[in-house]
Amino acid sequence: MNFTLIPEEAPSDSLRRIAAEQIEGAIAQLQRKDDLNEGIHEARKHFKRVRALLRLARGALPAETYVSENRFFRDLGRQLSPVRDSAVYIETLDLIRNRYHAQLADEPFLRLRERMVSEHRAVLNEFTRDVQRQESLFHTLQGAQPRANNWKFYAGEFSLFRGGLRRIYGRGRSEKAAAFAQPSTERFHAWRKRVKYLWHHLQLLQPLWPAQIRVLVRDCDRLADRLGEEHDLAVLLETPVVQAMKDTDGQRADQLLTVVSRERERLRRAAIPLAQRIYVESAGRFVDRIEGYWLAYRPHTHFLPQGTTGRGER
């Protein structure tokens, strides 16, 4: 499964292929017998890649196709969110306890983790036992594959990507500025979503100039991780088990709040140099640069007769 363009393919054919492969991958993950918890996590990643692909081609897709398909994969991901979210709470608590072991080594934090594990198992078991729900997921996903194979695009070659790439990069710049001007959980989370989409877009476009784009892919991945950890820590404090801890053991709850606040500040500071490198250009200049790479990637398209879109464009 190759989440990237292929030089020999028309870009529209690449996008259809990639979307169909991501859907197939999600189906396979949801049928895993060895580790359904991990399968759910991976399936959600597949859904997010399809949504990123839709955003990249948004300017060349019929509006109704973009809206309906984006909503479709968003809603599928939400069906799996309770299982994944309950696992993230545990991972986030483990992360903060590993980094601040001396402050969070007491027995109350072990009991907090045990309650989170118990809740996660309950949510996962509920999903596992709901065979009808799983069959419905498989059925709807199987119906999505032929749709993806028949997506129609208004544009071809780099025009297929120009509008979506400009939109996501520009929004990322704006939301970065808003997050640092008036820091809040919501603003940093909104910015993180744009970083993730840009990361996926650059993964798709990496063959244009692998050595150059690989650096951006790496920086976007690292930035998304830092912002993701920061958001997970904020959400951890709002979980029912942590809220209950405030009533039963206020001192330990305050300890957790202190170290979480310290770590969130560290992660926000660590995001600054990455963000400055990624968003150093205006959206227009960024897209122009990527288009320059495109002409080196598919140089023959520059000489196509006007109005010709190349093989597979429709």
Side-chain angles (χ1 to χ4, degrees), residues 299-313:
H300 64 282
T301 63
H302 185 63
F303 303 101
L304 290 173
Q306 189 172 4
T308 302
T309 56
R311 182 182 64 82
E313 304 294 337

Side-chain angles (χ1 to χ4, degrees), residues 5-8 157-158 205-213 287-303:
L5 302 178
I6 294 177
E8 295 76 19
E157 297 301 325
F158 191 75
L205 298 171
Q206 188 165 320
L208 274 60
W209 194 342
Q212 291 288 330
I213 298 180
V287 174
D288 287 346
R289 177 162 63 92
I290 301 300
E291 184 169 14
Y293 298 166
W294 181 268
L295 294 176
Y297 170 72
R298 281 170 64 84
H300 64 282
T301 63
H302 185 63
F303 303 101

Side-chain angles (χ1 to χ4, degrees), residues 91-105:
E91 294 169 6
T92 305
L93 182 63
D94 287 346
L95 180 148
I96 196 71
R97 290 187 68 241
N98 286 336
R99 290 182 182 169
Y100 296 88
H101 182 72
Q103 295 94 322
L104 303 177

Side-chain angles (χ1 to χ4, degrees), residues 210-231:
Q212 291 288 330
I213 298 180
R214 187 181 297 118
V215 176
L216 272 173
V217 169
R218 180 201 63 198
D219 284 348
C220 284
D221 188 20
R222 291 177 177 175
L223 178 57
D225 280 348
R226 282 160 176 73
L227 297 177
E229 286 182 18
E230 194 273 343
H231 180 70

Side-chain angles (χ1 to χ4, degrees), residues 22 25-32 34-49 76-89 91-92 120 124 127 137 192 196 199-200 221 225 228 232:
Q22 293 302 313
I27 293 172
Q29 290 295 332
L30 291 172
Q31 292 176 321
R32 284 178 61 167
D34 61 323
D35 189 346
L36 183 56
N37 179 59
E38 182 64 18
I40 288 171
H41 180 36
E42 292 300 320
R44 292 181 77 243
K45 288 183 181 179
H46 287 300
F47 298 157
K48 290 177 180 179
R49 291 188 192 110
L76 284 181
R78 286 178 176 175
Q79 289 188 48
L80 305 178
S81 290
V83 177
R84 179 56 192 159
D85 290 348
S86 61
V88 170
Y89 302 153
E91 294 169 6
T92 305
H120 171 63
L124 181 60
F127 180 86
L137 272 171
R192 185 236 180 179
K196 290 281 283 188
W199 175 52
H200 285 314
D221 188 20
D225 280 348
D232 291 341

Side-chain angles (χ1 to χ4, degrees), residues 16-288:
R16 295 186 193 99
R17 169 186 56 80
I18 292 166
E21 289 175 351
Q22 293 302 313
I23 295 166
E24 183 179 354
I27 293 172
Q29 290 295 332
L30 291 172
Q31 292 176 321
R32 284 178 61 167
K33 303 298 183 184
D34 61 323
D35 189 346
L36 183 56
N37 179 59
E38 182 64 18
I40 288 171
H41 180 36
E42 292 300 320
R44 292 181 77 243
K45 288 183 181 179
H46 287 300
F47 298 157
K48 290 177 180 179
R49 291 188 192 110
V50 176
R51 294 184 69 199
L53 184 153
L54 287 164
R55 277 171 166 73
L56 182 59
R58 184 174 182 175
L61 276 169
E64 60 272 18
T65 299
Y66 171 79
V67 170
S68 63
E69 295 288 17
N70 183 57
R71 183 183 296 121
F72 174 82
F73 288 101
R74 179 202 66 191
D75 291 346
L76 284 181
R78 286 178 176 175
Q79 289 188 48
L80 305 178
S81 290
V83 177
R84 179 56 192 159
D85 290 348
S86 61
V88 170
Y89 302 153
I90 301 166
E91 294 169 6
T92 305
L93 182 63
D94 287 346
L95 180 148
I96 196 71
R97 290 187 68 241
N98 286 336
R99 290 182 182 169
Y100 296 88
H101 182 72
Q103 295 94 322
L104 303 177
D106 293 347
E107 183 68 24
F109 296 108
L110 293 176
R111 291 197 298 270
L112 178 66
R113 188 185 191 280
E114 289 170 0
R115 287 194 291 273
M116 288 181 173
V117 170
S118 178
E119 290 187 3
H120 171 63
R121 285 174 179 165
V123 173
L124 181 60
N125 288 338
E126 180 183 358
F127 180 86
T128 303
R129 290 192 298 266
D130 194 342
V131 177
Q132 184 176 357
R133 180 181 176 188
Q134 293 179 56
E135 289 179 350
S136 176
L137 272 171
F138 299 146
H139 178 73
T140 54
L141 274 171
Q142 287 167 348
Q145 270 189 310
R147 291 203 312 272
N149 284 325
N150 287 289
W151 284 347
K152 303 293 191 295
F153 299 96
Y154 292 134
E157 297 301 325
F158 191 75
S159 296
L160 188 61
F161 311 122
R162 186 183 290 109
L165 195 61
R166 184 186 183 102
R167 179 185 179 91
I168 286 298
Y169 187 87
R171 288 192 65 180
R173 276 175 58 92
S174 298
E175 287 169 357
K176 162 187 166 284
F180 283 116
Q182 293 182 300
S184 71
T185 298
E186 294 74 22
R187 288 190 178 92
F188 272 91
H189 184 49
W191 176 32
R192 185 236 180 179
K193 288 191 286 187
R194 306 308 152 206
V195 174
K196 290 281 283 188
Y197 284 132
L198 181 62
W199 175 52
H200 285 314
H201 293 174
L202 292 169
Q203 286 178 307
L204 282 164
L205 298 171
Q206 188 165 320
L208 274 60
W209 194 342
Q212 291 288 330
I213 298 180
R214 187 181 297 118
V215 176
L216 272 173
V217 169
R218 180 201 63 198
D219 284 348
C220 284
D221 188 20
R222 291 177 177 175
L223 178 57
D225 280 348
R226 282 160 176 73
L227 297 177
E229 286 182 18
E230 194 273 343
H231 180 70
D232 291 341
L233 287 166
V235 173
L236 176 69
L237 296 179
E238 301 302 320
T239 58
V241 288
V242 172
Q243 291 296 308
M245 190 182 203
K246 294 179 180 179
D247 298 327
T248 58
D249 193 340
Q251 181 179 354
R252 297 299 189 280
D254 287 343
Q255 282 181 264
L256 183 61
L257 174 61
T258 298
V259 296
V260 164
S261 298
R262 185 184 310 162
E263 183 65 4
R264 289 181 68 194
E265 181 180 356
R266 186 191 73 80
L267 288 165
R268 288 182 179 184
R269 291 182 182 277
I272 294 173
L274 290 167
Q276 288 176 328
R277 287 200 295 269
I278 294 166
Y279 294 106
V280 69
E281 300 166 285
S282 68
R285 288 189 175 183
F286 174 77
V287 174
D288 287 346

